[in-house]
Amino acid sequence: MRKIRLGICGTGLCAQLFHLPALKKTLDIFEPVAVCSSRLEKCTEFEKVLGIPMTAYTDWRDMAAAPEVEAILCSYPYFLSEEIILECVRKGKHLLIEKPLCDNTASARRLAALELGGTVVGVAENWIYFPAVQEARRVLESGEIGQLRAAYITSLYEMELDSDWLTKTTWRKNAKGGMVLDRAIHQVAFERAVVGGVTETCGLTQCARPVLGDVDTLFTVFRHQNGVIGSLNVCASAGNLDTDHGMAFIGTEGTLKIGGFMTDFTVHGKNGDRTYQVDNGDGGYEAELRDFHRAILEGGQPESSLSKAAMDVITVLAPLEQPGTWLKLEK
């Protein structure tokens, strides 16, 4: 199988904690040839950890123009994503860019409509590659809980102020959507992968701890294309609660509850009650890289496509931009 010559853009927390281990598992399909960071010493450190000599860049535009780079794995702040995507498409460079896709609904709509030509552009939304997605689909399609009518998402937690996600990436709390977008995008993508697309949404936001930025709480409801209604409750300032990630799928004859890190399944349905666990492996990071490689060689787009990621962003950001208003989510 042909290896794709890969450039790594960004050497921060996401790159170090998630993409680097996955890259080590996918050296059979990718050949890392370049690394980019605004600080040259970070490129050197990343190169040493990966154990492969690479050309170092301090400007992502130079990497995008480099003839030896066929594809780019990018984990820069998401408010830069539209510019990076447009330039990579213009240069004909395949791109897998970190989630969330962007920081406003207008940008999401532009990107969803972008003509890609032969360029593959994927969004690194690792949750849609969880084996738990396929298991949830299997339970729902089996009819064990009857016809699906509603879905409930909750993510109530307390973001510690000394967390690396705040102290080492200070832009995160000041970016549009802040803690809410960064967290909720995972759950919305997971639920969309299980239930299907969203057509309209309405929600309200609040700030409980201003130290986390303008918004740290979002409560919203939405409607899916198939008529299923959904509810999303996210708060980064909910301390001392016994809940974190969680979903419930409510059918005409039972319920499916998923907890833990989307690993703990409880089914209450026609066949009685049962509880079991699903192993989500490395969190989907290797799978998203292999899907990206497959799309490059075979054509088409990866499961984590621009159009799907755009609708996930719009689902979360629409209530932030126009709170209390029912909004259609057409691209």
Side-chain angles (χ1 to χ4, degrees):
M1 186 175 295
R2 186 174 78 83
K3 290 187 178 183
I4 299 297
R5 297 189 301 276
L6 186 68
I8 297 109
C9 185
T11 59
L13 281 177
C14 283
Q16 294 173 29
L17 297 178
F18 309 131
H19 298 312
L20 182 56
L23 277 171
K24 290 181 177 180
K25 297 176 183 177
T26 54
L27 294 178
D28 58 319
I29 56 174
F30 287 109
E31 179 187 355
V33 295
V35 59
C36 179
S37 174
S38 60
R39 296 166 58 187
L40 193 58
E41 65 271 21
K42 291 293 184 181
C43 294
T44 302
E45 292 174 9
F46 198 89
E47 182 183 47
K48 287 181 178 178
V49 174
L50 190 55
I52 298 174
M54 295 179 283
T55 303
Y57 293 91
T58 55
D59 190 323
W60 65 266
R61 297 170 187 83
D62 293 334
M63 174 185 283
E68 73 273 15
V69 174
E70 294 181 84
I72 293 174
L73 172 61
C74 182
S75 54
Y76 268 22
Y78 55 84
F79 49 80
L80 301 174
S81 294
E82 183 174 11
E83 180 185 3
I84 293 171
I85 290 169
L86 293 177
E87 180 66 9
C88 285
V89 170
R90 190 173 75 85
K91 295 288 188 182
K93 304 293 184 181
H94 306 297
L95 175 67
L96 181 61
I97 196 160
E98 185 56 53
K99 64 82 194 170
L101 175 60
C102 53
D103 69 345
N104 64 87
T105 60
S107 176
R109 289 189 170 94
R110 287 193 297 269
L111 290 171
L114 182 63
E115 292 293 335
L116 299 177
T119 307
V120 172
V121 180
V123 179
E125 177 45 75
N126 56 297
W127 278 40
I128 66 173
Y129 293 98
F130 283 1
V133 168
Q134 297 301 323
E135 176 59 17
R137 285 177 179 169
R138 188 196 65 76
V139 172
L140 297 180
E141 291 170 1
S142 73
E144 189 172 356
I145 68 168
Q147 293 295 313
L148 184 63
R149 291 290 183 260
Y152 172 78
I153 306 172
T154 181
S155 186
L156 307 179
Y157 69 106
E158 183 176 24
M159 172 62 74
E160 300 293 342
L161 299 185
D162 61 353
S163 166
D164 286 349
W165 300 105
L166 292 179
T167 61
K168 292 186 178 180
T169 55
T170 54
W171 60 265
R172 198 174 300 273
K173 66 180 180 181
N174 297 317
K176 187 175 179 180
M179 297 294 103
V180 165
L181 176 59
D182 196 51
R183 182 79 160 206
I185 200 69
H186 282 308
Q187 283 89 355
V188 165
F190 185 102
E191 200 230 32
R192 184 260 308 154
V194 173
V195 179
V198 173
T199 59
E200 55 184 342
T201 184
C202 179
L204 294 171
T205 65
Q206 188 58 272
C207 179
R209 288 189 294 168
V211 70
L212 293 181
D214 293 337
V215 175
D216 65 2
T217 304
L218 168 67
F219 289 176
T220 187
V221 291
F222 43 84
R223 190 184 309 278
H224 287 271
Q225 293 169 349
N226 57 10
V228 173
I229 62 171
S231 172
L232 168 67
N233 298 309
V234 179
C235 180
S237 295
N240 198 34
L241 295 181
D242 294 330
T243 179
D244 190 6
H245 302 299
M247 291 190 187
F249 299 90
I250 302 162
T252 55
E253 299 185 60
T255 57
L256 164 63
K257 179 182 177 183
I258 308 177
F261 193 46
M262 298 296 106
T263 53
D264 303 334
F265 278 60
T266 300
V267 181
H268 170 73
K270 298 177 182 178
N271 302 325
D273 296 346
R274 57 195 176 93
T275 299
Y276 59 99
Q277 290 191 318
V278 173
D279 184 359
N280 286 321
D282 74 341
Y285 296 102
E286 179 183 354
E288 71 184 5
L289 279 174
R290 292 194 179 276
D291 189 33
F292 180 48
H293 180 271
R294 176 205 56 77
I296 293 172
L297 292 191
E298 298 180 4
Q301 295 299 316
E303 181 63 28
S304 57
S305 67
L306 269 187
S307 59
K308 292 177 180 177
M311 295 310 290
D312 293 339
V313 166
I314 294 171
T315 301
V316 178
L317 282 184
L320 276 76
E321 294 181 352
Q322 298 184 56
T325 303
W326 273 103
L327 299 167
K328 300 291 185 180
L329 269 63
E330 288 85 357
K331 299 173 188 175

